[in-house]
Amino acid sequence: MKKQIIDFILYLKVERHYALNTQQAYERDLNQLLNFLKTQNINTWPALNEQLLNTFIMQLRHKNISARSIRRYLSSIKGLLTYLVNQDQLEHNCAVQLRTPKIAQNLPSVLNYEQLLQLLKASSTSRFEYRDVAIIEVLYSCGLRVAELVGLNVSDVDLSEGFLKVVGKGGKTRHTPLGGSAQKAIIKYLETHQASALFINKNGDRIGVRSIQNMIKKRALSAGIKVNVYPHMLRHAAATHFLQSSHDLRSTQEFLGHASIKSTQVYTHLDFLELSKVYDKCHPRAKKT
């Protein structure tokens, strides 16, 4: 059973081009399922049934695993069983009928423009300060996921046309506009750059996701921003500001690289909240009596 999990994760990597974090999460989930099945004396995937899966999910609930995490567990399990069916190693997917827990929709946190400017203030003229400013500019200018940013190469930057080639989820490539400020930040950073990867660490290797997370958190604290700032907040801010100016949900979807417009629709709620704040502050008929 372990071999089928290893083969499935390899399939996600090679055929589906899943992000490394997703591969690792799926592998952890499936190994936990495997440990559970051993306690039930289940040694083959065909012996798995819906009742056993429901018991496994119930155990996760009793451990106070969040609904969001349980959804990911189910996605991992369904994906593996579908893979085994397609490989003729299983007759049917017994997880198909399992109900996915609902998730309360929490609107993503968004940085305002003044906070963004604080993050972009250069504290020195070192090349790594230029790098950090360029990272923040590109994350915001292009609305990138941090995993997309770390995968960028110098050859992906087209400064003459003002575009950036991005490899997103599932290995899908998109071209996104690169704002003027981001272009200037990249040019300044590239003056002392000799690697093929666009953003590198002090050892000359491609920078990692964790390093970017730590860098942005540290800059936010230094700037006196009191909320917990993480890279995805820059993507949320880019999406919200793009939608507010364009009023075009489809264009926002393409800008973000969302496969489904449902993923983009959350930003219509953010747009409404921002509109409400402006209305309450500025409109003469908004004042409560």
Side-chain angles (χ1 to χ4, degrees):
M1 295 176 80
K2 178 71 173 177
K3 181 182 182 304
Q4 281 87 357
I5 292 176
I6 294 172
D7 290 344
F8 174 58
I9 300 302
L10 185 62
Y11 160 76
L12 295 181
K13 176 182 178 181
V14 176
E15 300 291 334
R16 300 297 301 276
H17 305 289
Y18 274 34
L20 179 60
N21 287 346
T22 307
Q23 295 173 40
Q24 292 172 341
Y26 273 39
E27 189 169 13
R28 284 195 301 270
D29 295 346
L30 293 170
N31 283 332
Q32 284 196 45
L33 172 64
L34 193 58
N35 292 335
F36 163 76
L37 293 177
K38 286 178 181 177
T39 68
Q40 305 297 309
N41 297 316
I42 300 297
N43 301 309
T44 64
W45 291 112
L48 181 63
N49 57 46
E50 188 174 337
Q51 183 177 350
L52 283 166
L53 287 176
N54 274 320
T55 303
F56 175 64
I57 297 303
M58 285 297 293
Q59 286 192 6
L60 295 177
R61 291 182 186 276
H62 290 319
K63 292 177 182 177
N64 292 321
I65 302 296
S66 69
R68 187 176 297 277
S69 294
I70 289 175
R71 284 174 70 100
R72 195 198 61 231
Y73 273 98
L74 288 172
S75 179
S76 306
I77 294 166
K78 289 177 181 179
L80 170 66
L81 298 184
T82 298
Y83 167 78
L84 294 178
V85 169
N86 292 337
Q87 295 292 313
D88 296 323
Q89 298 182 44
L90 204 60
E91 287 189 9
H92 70 283
N93 186 341
C94 62
V96 170
Q97 301 300 323
L98 291 180
R99 297 182 64 180
T100 304
K102 292 183 178 179
I103 298 176
Q105 189 180 45
N106 296 318
L107 296 178
S109 301
V110 176
L111 288 170
N112 60 42
Y113 191 66
E114 288 72 24
Q115 291 171 324
L116 178 68
L117 293 178
Q118 287 177 287
L119 283 178
L120 288 168
K121 281 183 180 177
S123 60
S124 72
T125 56
S126 73
R127 77 182 174 108
F128 289 108
E129 180 68 12
Y130 290 150
R131 178 204 64 187
D132 294 347
V133 170
I135 284 173
I136 294 169
E137 285 280 14
V138 172
L139 282 172
Y140 175 73
S141 175
C142 302
L144 297 190
R145 302 175 179 96
V146 68
E148 294 171 341
L149 180 123
V150 299
L152 291 173
N153 294 317
V154 174
S155 59
D156 294 325
V157 182
D158 186 343
L159 292 171
S160 61
E161 296 294 332
F163 276 86
L164 191 67
K165 185 175 78 173
V166 181
V167 179
K169 286 187 175 180
K172 293 180 180 177
T173 300
R174 69 183 188 275
H175 290 81
T176 185
L178 190 61
S181 296
Q183 291 182 48
K184 290 176 183 176
I186 288 175
I187 290 169
K188 186 175 286 189
Y189 164 59
L190 289 180
E191 286 175 357
T192 58
H193 192 87
Q194 296 179 339
S196 58
L198 180 56
F199 295 113
I200 58 174
N201 59 26
K202 292 180 179 178
N203 296 322
D205 300 320
R206 189 181 297 276
I207 196 169
V209 170
R210 184 60 60 85
S211 295
I212 294 176
Q213 291 170 339
N214 291 338
M215 177 271 289
I216 289 177
K217 180 174 283 191
K218 188 180 294 184
R219 290 182 77 89
L221 289 172
S222 298
I225 300 173
K226 301 195 182 303
V227 295
N228 179 33
V229 180
Y230 48 91
H232 217 67
M233 287 178 75
L234 295 168
R235 177 170 163 87
H236 294 322
T240 305
H241 300 162
F242 186 92
L243 181 60
Q244 285 171 348
S245 59
S246 70
H247 303 287
D248 187 335
L249 196 60
R250 286 289 179 190
S251 295
T252 307
Q253 178 191 1
E254 291 178 14
F255 172 65
L256 295 172
H258 282 156
S260 169
I261 202 165
K262 288 183 180 179
S263 302
T264 317
Q265 284 174 337
V266 65
Y267 295 106
T268 62
H269 300 295
L270 286 170
D271 189 40
F272 175 76
L273 288 179
E274 190 65 26
L275 179 63
S276 297
K277 289 178 186 176
V278 174
Y279 182 90
D280 289 341
K281 182 179 179 181
C282 303
H283 199 286
R285 302 291 291 173
K287 306 231 186 313
K288 294 180 174 63
T289 56

